[in-house]
Amino acid sequence: MSDLLYSEVEEELRASVRSLLRDRVDLSRLEGPEPVDLKLWRTLATDLGFAGLPVPEESGGAGASWRETAVVMEELGRAVAPVPFLGSAVLATAALPEGDPLLAELAGGARTAALAVPLSTWDDPKWTVTARDGALDGEVTTVADALAADVLLVPTAAGLFATTGDFARTPVVSFDLTRPVADLAFRRTEARLVARDAGAAVRRALLAGAAMLASEQLGIAEWCLATTVEYAKTRRQFARAIGSYQALKHRLADLWVAVTQARAVARYAAGCLADGDADLEVAASLAQAFCSPVAVRAAEECVQLHGGIGFTWEHPAHWYLKRARADAIALGSAAKHRARLAGLVDLPI
């Protein structure tokens, strides 16, 4: 059993990331033409080295683990930071084999990558790009963090290829503006083979992504709970704080229990990923099946219990609801993960 408690180093890392994001995240930029905050991403990836936390030192990384990466994901979820951390530091990094020179570039922040699969991909992905004579042809829809990427990892039947060549990317209107998606088109695009078995590489990336996404969902839920509790203590109605009403107390208490359980589940998934535990597939699907609906519920309660102000554009609650809703279908829905989980533990669906 992995240790579910946070280490002193992890708590120090959390404090550092939270302080930075508190000062630097500006959600008003999401209404502009370039919602991704590349300056903040460079600070996280290059200056602080957070993009290379799970990468061994001999491969150019920080030599930490996926546990520390999970802490960063929690804080990015808590701030709904518009940076390509999931696409580059998690999915693309996990897909690359150790020793590939691109891994060191991603770990050091010199490059930003995206894994060219639809954001909703989970089980049995279908390759829609073909490779012939070192060139790619085909299209991939709704790829997360592709707009900020300067290198793409493209899975094909012939293997996993990396390309910085000529390809088209078309922004897609996304429900969650904090994580833009794009459609990609390749027409004889030059590429380099990085792994013969694209299926194994993508599977490894999706498992890491599902485990880390649970930590992001945990961060969303924690912010929504803490913000709503604080509002309930200070907002007064009929000469008393609204938090003193029993109905609100019960709803917030139930939400606190759910968030506490989600923390244990997300931590277990991160621990299994860090340790290479054989239980990783179970842990990742369990984390998504549980944390996904908890994040959505926490965001919905945040909007509703804030009353009229919670429904306004000026209040940030709607960004958390949109991120939670988008995460709920990213890397497989909760229903897909429950079905997968049932198969893994030999339960009839």
Side-chain angles (χ1 to χ4, degrees):
M1 173 70 74
S2 298
D3 187 356
L4 302 183
L5 300 178
Y6 297 98
S7 68
E8 184 177 342
V9 172
E10 289 170 333
E11 292 294 2
E12 292 175 355
L13 174 63
R14 179 192 307 285
S16 174
V17 178
R18 185 174 298 183
S19 176
L20 172 68
L21 297 179
R22 186 187 301 119
D23 294 337
R24 296 282 299 275
V25 171
D26 178 14
L27 295 179
S28 65
R29 70 175 292 114
L30 298 173
E31 302 172 44
E34 297 181 359
V36 178
D37 193 338
L38 293 179
K39 288 185 178 180
L40 175 58
W41 166 239
R42 293 304 176 196
T43 300
L44 291 168
T46 306
D47 300 343
L48 300 177
F50 291 160
L53 285 174
V55 180
E57 290 184 80
E58 55 270 23
S59 296
S65 78
W66 288 106
R67 285 190 182 86
E68 288 78 11
T69 307
V71 172
V72 176
M73 284 292 288
E74 281 184 43
E75 294 306 312
L76 293 175
R78 178 183 282 269
V80 287
V83 293
F85 193 90
L86 177 66
S88 187
V90 177
L91 292 174
T93 296
L96 284 170
E98 287 190 18
D100 191 282
L102 180 56
L103 188 59
E105 294 183 274
L106 296 187
R111 285 190 179 275
T112 302
L115 181 63
V117 297
L119 182 57
S120 60
T121 301
W122 169 243
D123 213 3
D124 192 24
K126 303 293 190 296
W127 311 143
T128 57
V129 177
T130 59
R132 183 178 179 183
D133 299 329
L136 305 175
D137 285 284
E139 299 177 354
V140 188
T141 59
T142 60
V143 178
D145 296 330
L147 294 176
D150 48 35
V151 58
L152 293 177
L153 299 182
V154 186
T156 72
L160 181 69
F161 288 80
T163 180
T164 58
D166 186 21
F167 57 87
R169 41 186 156 192
T170 305
V172 177
V173 176
S174 174
F175 181 67
D176 174 23
L177 296 181
T178 66
R179 179 168 287 141
V181 297
D183 293 342
L184 306 177
F186 304 93
R187 298 291 182 268
R188 303 301 298 163
T189 303
E190 293 184 1
R192 174 179 67 88
L193 180 67
V194 297
R196 293 283 180 187
D197 190 346
V202 170
R203 187 65 188 157
R204 185 169 62 246
L206 294 179
L207 279 172
M212 292 296 100
L213 189 63
S215 290
E216 177 178 286
Q217 291 163 331
L218 171 61
I220 294 169
E222 288 178 330
W223 183 91
C224 291
L225 175 61
T227 302
T228 308
V229 168
E230 185 61 30
Y231 182 78
K233 291 192 298 184
T234 57
R235 176 71 169 95
R236 299 181 67 81
Q237 191 73 26
F238 303 112
R240 57 189 291 192
I242 63 172
S244 64
Y245 292 101
Q246 191 175 53
L248 270 66
K249 285 182 180 180
H250 287 179
R251 288 170 66 169
L252 290 172
D254 288 344
L255 185 57
W256 179 86
V257 171
V259 172
T260 301
Q261 292 170 329
R263 184 178 301 111
V265 173
R267 286 293 292 170
Y268 182 63
C272 286
L273 181 60
D275 298 338
D277 197 296
D279 203 31
L280 174 58
E281 287 202 40
V282 172
S285 283
L286 178 63
Q288 278 306 296
F290 191 87
C291 295
S292 176
V294 168
V296 172
R297 177 185 165 193
E300 289 176 341
E301 291 284 56
C302 181
V303 170
Q304 187 170 17
L305 296 183
H306 271 77
I309 188 65
F311 289 83
T312 64
W313 190 262
E314 289 75 13
H315 195 279
H318 68 98
W319 295 119
Y320 289 84
L321 179 58
K322 290 170 183 174
R323 173 67 75 90
R325 282 290 185 183
D327 281 359
I329 58 173
L331 306 180
S333 65
K336 288 183 178 180
H337 282 282
R338 283 194 294 269
R340 173 67 173 161
L341 189 58
L344 290 171
V345 298
D346 297 322
L347 287 176
I349 300 176

